[in-house]
Amino acid sequence: MSTNAYADLPRYIANYYLSENLGSGYSGSIYRAHHLHSGKVVALKVQDVNHECPTNRYERRLYPLLQGGLGMPTLYTAGVEGKWDYLAIDLLGSSLDQLYRRSKKETMDLRSVCCIAMQVIARLEFMHSRGVLHRDIQLGNCVVGLPPNEKTIYMIDFGFSKQYIDPHTRRHIPDSKAKRDFIGNYWFSSVGVHCRGKVPSRRDDLEAVALMLIHLLTPRGLPWTRNGVPKTDEEHERLKRNKSNCRPEDLCRNLPEEFEDFLRYCKSLKFMDRPDYERWIDEFRDLAVDNGFPDSDEFIWPPPQPTITSVKTPPPFSPLKLPRTIVPGRTVVAQEVENILRGLGNLALVPQPTLQDKSPMRAEMNQRAVENAYKEDSVRRIAPKPIRVHAVIEISSGSEDEKPHMLGRTPKAYRLDRLAAKLGSATDNARLAFIVLEFIQVLKGYNSSRTLTKEGFAFLDALHKQLSDPSVFVLPMRTSRSRSSNSGLPIDQKQPAHVKLGVVARLKRDVQNASSSRALARMVSDFGTVTNKSSGRTITKDGFAFLEGLAARLETLG
Ligand SMILES: Nc1ncnc2c1ncn2[C@@H]1O[C@H](COP(=O)(O)OP(=O)(O)OP(=O)(O)O)[C@@H](O)[C@H]1O
């Protein structure tokens, strides 16, 4: 419908005075409007009741189901007055599309994209929990709030939304092979829905998010968006062919691997599967933290200048290889320096003590003296101490007393990194016990997150290695980051919560009777593996009891 269709729009609808036009879509127009009595300012979405695509009528039915969720606009009133179907909703700010265009940047920065990922996945988790699919995920339908909610992303435009849980039977809608009209948008609708005519379900909303994120990080955007909106059927068919032929590895070349993993994950879901929203929110949070950004999903626009001041060694024992990840905003020089330091970090330049055989260790060196001497060195350091796996190599002028956040990492990540580094120089079990207790303290100290982050897994890797045999190659446990895994299980293979609870309860019991460092090493490995495969990767009460038991047992074994 053209904007002329609104030429006869009255100044007042349902006690609202209509002022500025905020935007128009295919089926309706949005106005800033003031309530005549309360003065409340809202966004009034109006549509001709006879419109061929009466989306306001659908939205009126769905909005009530979505009230109360973070990032869901409040519906104040809705109805029909004269020939106008209207909805009064929260007045919001710019859409992500508008912000992105106005920035005139080729790509969006990684931190903003991670925040969008965390927030939009959380919005979909909420919508899906209310039995509603969005079915039109796109940048124009994700908008930021107005102050004080400008860091929150809101979902709008539920004109194509649909209940996937039948309100009468309470069952999931059925799949169907029947030919159906396409509902969604050209750019981000999933390949299944757009190119193969499949019935949309939760997985397709998530796949659209994955495509949107990849689009934001790709110079000139997704390949099929580059020729603009198709004007003929032929052009549309070509676009669909292009879209369905693009492989995830091609779309995500040069992006952090989480994006390809996420896209593959969405594509692997079955029609009725519930996506593991929490896992992917965690993954994108970890990705941001790993790149030196705060542990937060707040969308801050314009993005603050990146202040990456520390470079961390990779998980241990990985062969020297160029990282796939090229993070927008980080220079190639920094990447190269990081690679060189990674290589240095992987060189075993000093003999490794073994915990089973204590004599060579005592004779080897007074490791702590070296460590203390290192602590006093408060000027620029680039890996001066005997290099060990998991050593944190800082390119920073930070002294030991410097506040962790000054180094551009979250305090939790920073402290876990340092503890992992300390493990490498522990010379006896009593020292290991002490470090394990410190690990517990750090995890418990950050109430907001008892999730085992990448740094937490790196700590368990280092502990496992120290307990089994520091001279032996051990694969890291955290399977979602490294593509290899101890178990050989695919990364998506999660275990139900009861499996984790059962294993951890057994570990808590058995740790008291463990008779050797090797037995403890196996338990650490089991603990890491089961936590990695559980959704949420949180440490339970039993998990902490196991770690405390482990520290006690190390003390006893001496
Ligand atoms: N609550 C709101 N507050 C401020 N601006 C809004 C609001 N809702 C929508 N807009 C603006 O109006 C535009 C159109 O809104 P919306 O997508 O809901 O309309 P539509 O007719 O359903 O569009 P489409 O053709 O995309 O389906 C949005 O891109 C946005 O810029």
Side-chain angles (χ1 to χ4, degrees), residues 22-30 43 45 55 59 89-93 95 98 136 138 140-141 143 156-157:
L22 298 169
S24 296
Y26 161 71
S27 50
S29 217
I30 316 267
K45 187 165 180 176
T55 47
E59 281 199 79
I89 55 176
D90 272 333
L91 181 67
L92 301 165
S95 69
Q98 290 164 336
D136 192 15
Q138 54 173 305
N141 287 339
V143 299
I156 59 164
D157 196 357

Side-chain angles (χ1 to χ4, degrees), residues 62 127 134 191-192 195 215 253 261 310 314 339 504 529 549 554:
L62 289 169
M127 288 187 69
H134 190 285
V191 170
C195 311
H215 178 78
R253 188 165 296 136
D261 290 346
S310 72
N339 281 332
V504 176
T529 306
L554 280 165

Side-chain angles (χ1 to χ4, degrees), residues 33-53:
H34 304 249
H35 193 271
L36 292 179
H37 306 304
S38 69
K40 173 99 189 148
V41 181
V42 297
L44 202 77
K45 187 165 180 176
V46 289
Q47 184 183 45
D48 191 316
V49 276
N50 297 316
H51 195 284
E52 56 184 2
C53 184

Side-chain angles (χ1 to χ4, degrees), residues 60-101:
R60 259 194 283 135
R61 277 211 298 268
L62 289 169
Y63 253 109
L65 299 174
L66 301 173
Q67 295 302 282
L70 180 68
M72 296 294 136
T74 302
L75 174 73
Y76 296 102
T77 183
V80 177
E81 188 169 291
K83 65 177 246 194
W84 300 105
D85 193 327
Y86 65 87
L87 293 155
I89 55 176
D90 272 333
L91 181 67
L92 301 165
S94 302
S95 69
L96 295 182
D97 192 38
Q98 290 164 336
L99 295 178
Y100 177 41
R101 281 166 198 258

Side-chain angles (χ1 to χ4, degrees), residues 50 138 162 312 349 413 415 497:
N50 297 316
Q138 54 173 305
K162 179 178 167 145
K312 195 172 52 123
L349 295 179
R415 292 184 65 190

